[in-house]
Every structure is written in structure tokens, then in C-alpha cells.
Amino acid sequence: MTKTQKDDRAAWAARAEALRPQGQALIGGRFVEAASGRSFAALSPIDGRVLTQVAAGDAEDADRAVKSARAAFESGVWAKRPPRARKRTLIRFAELIRAHREELALLETLDMGKPIAMSLAVDVRAAADAIQWSAEAIDKLYDEIAPTEPNVLALIRREPLGVVAAVTPWNFPMIMAAWKIGPALALGNSVILKPAEQSSLTAIRLGGLALEAGIPEGVFNVLPGFGHEAGKALGLHMDVDGAFFTGSTEVGRMFARYSADSNLKKIGLELGGKSPFVVLASSRHLDAAAQSVVDGIFFNQGEMCTASSRLIAEDSIREELMEKVLEKARAYKPGDPLDPETNLGTLVDAAHTRRVLDYIASGEAEGARLALGGGRPAGLSGECYVEPTVFDQARPEMKIAREEIFGPVLTVLAAKDPEEALRLANDSSYGLGAAVWSDDLTTAHRFAAGLRAGVVSVNAYDEDDMTTPFGGYKQSGWGRDKSLHAFEKYAELKTIWMRLR
Ligand code: NAP
Ligand code: MG
């Protein structure tokens, strides 16, 4: 290691020592403890250290947050501001996020273990950009006048839902929040953000920055707490107009039930995936394909809903491709997330690490060939490191080929021809991401049309831009984040008929 790298790592560690993360809820513009007085420890997966105590919000706190959000909404202090005024405030919010990039990146890395270089280059940047993009869109969206007969005027207006809950996961805590709160706030809703218990710290800090940016009290609330308490209370609350969730398919189902069992609130679900990455013999770019699938599964420790977790390779190129995949996978090395050179950090916590290791054990037990990794790396002291792992010669019925592992584990399946590859690709209860590699335009086009997934890449993977919708087919969810389509979730459409006399 060169001297500067060492200094950088030491510098981040020193900054980490000096950090005093805030753990309170933000309700009605004030940072408060949970009404019950209960809290839980925010643990760092890097070394198990307690970063701070976090307020364990429950139904009573959820109710307080909903009341303050409702009052702010009814007052019109935000909802009735001209769109361009909300735009200016939200752009200030995005700029404050950028101004606090190092602090936010450090909180994210300490709290959930992703490499500091990723937190800076991806998480903070994309969160700020998502909020700015939604803000910039809001004074360019026009409502409609319907082409009715001349003696009537039918206005089709987009109106904010009212009180919106956003319940988010721990893998990209700031980005998943920004994809929801950006369009929801831009439209004039009041929002309650419930972050995952493993990653509450950046959400709480975002709450402070939102206040500083001038978002009025009660318009943006942050309610940390456990899913089965705070999350459930928001899902079941009779005065929440919409609940928008990103997380597991299992909890997504609960939100569908919460809605049915309460006020039929609107819901949005961005759920899990087991995304197929298909390489056909008609691709001459096996090097690029190998790099792309490896980045797609090992980026963010594989804790990614669109992770390219199933590689499906046509028989005639499979061996050549596998050599390249293994060579490129070796470039991912578990290391201290505070080291700017690290490209594979820790998993989010010890329980999740055990779950991932259990999946690896099941792959071995079911007879897949372990081609790389398969355990905890030597020489690192924390509990939450897992080696980049590749299973070759898997069969479609194996657990590692069907279930979302949400860790750095790639499962490779063989297909005898493109038809079998497409059948295998679609043989999943999920439908989030998918890729096909082929230099034959007709094949690629037909394949892309045949893939049952919300985000399909041809000769690429995980292209990411705020201008395109993101979300899943099948059990990967309902509705889309990002792009102008995301605004549809947070608005009601009202038709106003006027008879002209
Ligand atoms: P999770 O367990 O489903 O949790 C997500 C959120 O729901 C957390 O805030 C969680 O709070 C809360 N929650 C848990 N149980 C709840 C309940 N009974 N009622 C209400 N809320 C509840 O998911 P995760 O483990 O954080 O994240 C991993 C999952 O997210 C993966 O399946 C992944 O594919 C998915 N994901 C999807 C996307 C996408 O856009 N499609 C993006 C990222 C992640 P607690 O943390 O306190 O339990
Ligand atoms: Mg969880």
C-alpha cells in the first residue's frame, strides 16, 4: 500500500472517531426521542462498534408523525406553494446533501459497511441528483384539458396524495429514500420516511438537512424504528394516504395486506430479484460480458435488488466465459470499508452474513461446483466479510438458482441454445433486472422483448439514469421509481367538469 492510501484510510478512521451521529426521530420539525423512551443500538458491521442509540419509534410515534404531516399538508404551507418555489427549496436540499458529502458517506459506510469510495461516488451523488432531478421536473409538468365537446371544459389535474409514508431498505439507504421523497415532496405531499433499522443514520441526517434547506416543519419527518412496529404502524394507519415500500417480497406482501386491512391506501412495492444475465454464443465480447456480470453481482457486496445473480451461458462459450469471469471476480477483494482502495466491503450485519453463508452451504450440499470463494476471507477481523463466490454447474431447481441471496454469490447455469436460455431466464418468480449479450441484432431484440423484467439491458448491465423508470414484473413489485412515471404514484388524478353557459 502506498503512503497516500494509508493516510487516506487513517484520515477516514480519524473522521469516524470524531463523528457524533444523531439517532433521534424528526417529527414536526423537532428531533425527539421515541415516546416510549426506547432505543436500539446502531452497530457498525465493520467492527461491531455502537455508533449511537437510535429512537425505536412505534405506533404512538407513527401517529405523532402522521398528525404533524397531516397538519402541515392541510395548512398548505408546502402543498400550496408554487411548484417553482418547492423546486428551489428542494434544489437547496440537494445542494446541502452535496455540501455534506463526506459526513453522509462516512455515516453510510460505518452503518452498513459499503466501501467509502462507493458511498461518496455513488450513494451521496445519486441521492442528491435524484432529489434535484425531481425538483427540476416539477415546474415543467403540465396538467391536461380533455378534448371534449366545446360547451364543456374538462380539466384533468394532478393533486398530491396528502400524507405519504416511505419505508426503505438498508442496501442503498439514501438513494432508495431519495427516489421516493424526491417526487413525493416535489408534488407537495407531506412525507414520513421510515429507514431500515440497520441503516437509520443517514435518513436522520437527511431530515436535518431538509429543515436547513427550508422544507417546512412537519412536511418531512423521519421515523426510525423496527419494521414490525414503526413500519407496520404506518402501513396500517388510517390517515396515511399512500405507503411506498422498497425491500423484500415477504414484507411487500404485508404492505398489500396493511392497505387492505386499513384504508386501502395507495401502495408501491419495489421488491426483490434474481436477475438473469444471459450470454449467447453470438456474442463476441466475452471479456466485456464477464466484466459486466462480475460488476453486476459484486458491486455493493451483492446487496442489490438488481444484482446479476444468475449467469446463464450458452454451452459452446461457457468454459471460455467462466475463465474470464473467475479472473475478473478475483479483482474484488474484501477489505476495510474505510480504505478508499476497497471494492468489497462488509455485509450489513452478522445475521445477514450468516444467511448468505447458509446459502453458500446449501449450494455445496445441492451439488453445484464451488469455483471461487465460499467463505469468510482470511486476515480480516470483522464478522461480516464474505468472499466473492461463484457456483458453476448449478441446476435451475437449486435454492441458489431460485432464491435471492442478497450477497456476493454468483450462480452459473448452462443453456444448450438461445431458446433454453430464455426459458431459464424467465423461470423465476421475480422479474426485476435482466440482460442479454449477443451481437446478432435480431436475436438480441427478440430476446429483450421476451424477457419478463422491468429493466432489460442488451450488451450492458444496470445502466442507471434518473430519466428511466425502475421497478419489476411479477413478484418484484408494483409501480415504478425514477423518471416522470414515478410522479404518478404520489398523485391523484382529478377530473373537473365545467359546463360553459
Ligand atoms: P426488508 O426486511 O423487507 O425491510 C425493508 C423495510 O421494511 C425496512 O425498513 C424494514 O424495517 C421494514 N419492515 C420490516 N418488517 C416490516 C413489517 N412487518 N412491517 C412493515 N415494515 C417492515 O428488506 P431489507 O432486508 O431491508 O432489504 C433487502 C430487500 O430489499 C431485498 O429483498 C432486496 O431485493 C430488496 N430491495 C429492492 C429494491 C428495489 O428497488 N426493487 C431495492 C433495494 C432492495 P426493519 O429494518 O426495521 O426490519
Ligand atoms: Mg430487514
Side-chain angles (χ1 to χ4, degrees):
M1 190 185 288
T2 66
K3 183 156 188 313
T4 40
Q5 284 163 15
K6 204 167 158 210
D7 287 348
D8 277 351
R9 179 193 202 161
W12 283 109
R15 283 190 194 121
E17 284 301 324
L19 206 60
R20 295 287 168 271
Q22 188 163 10
Q24 292 166 307
L26 174 64
I27 297 176
R30 291 218 309 278
F31 282 100
V32 294
E33 303 300 341
S36 67
R38 285 185 308 136
S39 65
F40 60 91
L43 300 175
S44 176
I46 302 173
D47 53 10
R49 165 157 52 126
V50 177
L51 299 165
T52 190
Q53 289 295 123
V54 176
D58 63 14
E60 189 178 345
D61 305 291
D63 194 52
R64 284 198 291 167
V66 172
K67 288 204 169 87
S68 91
R70 176 62 64 195
F73 183 73
E74 296 298 334
S75 77
V77 62
W78 179 249
K80 298 232 159 72
R81 271 191 203 173
R84 92 172 67 83
R86 291 198 301 266
K87 175 183 78 172
R88 278 197 295 267
T89 305
L90 287 170
I91 289 177
R92 206 149 52 228
F93 183 26
E95 280 164 356
L96 281 171
I97 293 172
R98 294 185 188 110
H100 291 79
R101 60 196 291 274
E102 295 193 343
E103 178 194 354
L104 288 165
L106 194 54
L107 285 173
E108 207 79 297
T109 287
L110 291 171
D111 210 7
M112 56 72 65
K114 72 172 74 196
I116 188 72
M118 310 297 157
S119 296
L120 275 171
V122 179
D123 294 76
V124 178
R125 176 192 55 76
D129 288 355
I131 287 169
Q132 176 137 1
W133 193 89
S134 298
E136 285 171 346
I138 198 63
D139 63 350
K140 288 140 197 106
L141 288 173
Y142 289 70
D143 290 340
E144 299 165 21
I145 297 177
T148 56
E149 53 129 328
N151 287 330
V152 291
L153 188 61
L155 310 178
I156 303 170
R157 283 167 50 101
R158 204 186 279 109
E159 296 187 347
L161 286 181
V163 175
V164 160
V167 179
T168 50
W170 45 257
N171 61 338
F172 292 96
M174 278 186 284
I175 301 178
M176 296 300 106
W179 285 1
K180 297 189 193 310
I181 67 180
L185 288 171
L187 277 163
N189 293 287
S190 290
V191 175
I192 302 156
L193 170 64
K194 189 331 239 167
E197 68 194 66
Q198 295 96 331
S199 61
S200 316
L201 302 185
T202 49
I204 294 168
R205 190 66 188 100
L206 288 181
L209 295 177
L211 277 183
E212 200 177 323
I215 296 177
E217 292 175 3
V219 170
F220 181 50
N221 305 275
V222 182
L223 180 69
F226 299 115
H228 64 274
E229 296 180 350
K232 181 177 178 182
L234 291 171
L236 285 170
H237 203 288
M238 292 299 285
D239 202 29
V240 168
D241 299 297
F244 299 90
F245 170 78
T246 297
S248 61
T249 295
E250 181 194 353
V251 178
R253 282 182 212 286
M254 293 184 194
F255 274 87
R257 286 193 204 107
Y258 295 155
S259 168
D261 290 346
S262 58
N263 58 346
L264 281 177
K265 58 180 62 64
K266 309 286 184 283
I267 61 171
L269 305 175
E270 299 282 358
L271 310 177
K274 188 75 184 176
S275 300
F277 186 112
V278 177
V279 184
L280 299 176
S282 50
S283 171
R284 279 171 291 113
H285 296 93
L286 298 188
D287 254 308
Q291 189 64 57
S292 181
V293 73
V294 159
D295 292 341
I297 182 67
F298 298 131
F299 175 66
N300 212 49
Q301 300 69 246
E303 294 166 329
M304 216 163 39
C305 49
T306 50
S308 51
S309 51
R310 283 189 299 147
L311 171 59
I312 300 169
E314 211 175 330
D315 271 334
S316 60
I317 49 114
R318 194 180 58 87
E319 273 187 29
E320 187 187 346
L321 179 68
M322 278 308 295
E323 272 175 34
K324 295 178 190 297
V325 164
L326 294 177
E327 176 204 315
K328 293 178 195 307
R330 289 191 183 95
Y332 276 86
K333 293 197 175 65
D336 182 349
L338 288 177
D339 184 339
E341 295 294 304
T342 293
N343 60 10
L344 195 71
T346 71
L347 299 193
V348 71
D349 62 17
H352 184 57
T353 305
R354 279 193 297 278
R355 204 152 47 226
V356 171
L357 292 171
D358 284 348
Y359 272 113
I360 293 174
S362 89
E364 292 194 85
E366 289 192 278
R369 190 179 75 85
L370 184 63
L372 187 73
R376 290 199 159 95
L380 287 166
S381 61
E383 263 188 275
C384 301
Y385 293 98
V386 174
E387 294 173 306
T389 295
V390 178
F391 277 109
D392 196 5
Q393 295 167 21
R395 288 188 312 278
E397 66 278 11
M398 291 178 177
K399 254 171 78 164
I400 55 165
R402 305 207 74 79
E403 296 181 20
E404 181 178 51
I405 300 174
F406 224 58
V409 182
L410 177 66
T411 300
V412 186
L413 299 160
K416 64 177 188 308
D417 54 28
E419 289 68 39
E420 185 180 29
L422 183 59
R423 206 164 50 245
L424 286 173
N426 285 334
D427 177 21
S428 172
S429 57
Y430 294 114
L432 193 55
V436 58
W437 285 64
S438 169
D439 295 326
D440 183 282
L441 187 62
T442 304
T443 306
H445 196 69
R446 291 222 168 101
F447 214 101
L451 285 164
R452 303 267 302 146
V455 183
V456 173
S457 305
V458 176
N459 298 334
Y461 199 67
D462 230 11
E463 298 290 329
D464 182 37
D465 199 287
M466 267 308 283
T467 56
T468 59
F470 181 91
Y473 279 36
K474 301 193 266 184
Q475 293 179 37
S476 290
W478 297 349
R480 297 291 182 267
D481 278 334
K482 297 169 55 190
S483 83
L484 295 180
H485 292 283
F487 286 82
E488 293 157 16
K489 293 196 297 194
Y490 306 105
E492 291 282 15
L493 274 188
K494 176 184 281 178
T495 304
I496 303 177
W497 285 96
M498 303 176 73
R499 174 135 315 258
L500 309 179
R501 304 211 191 271

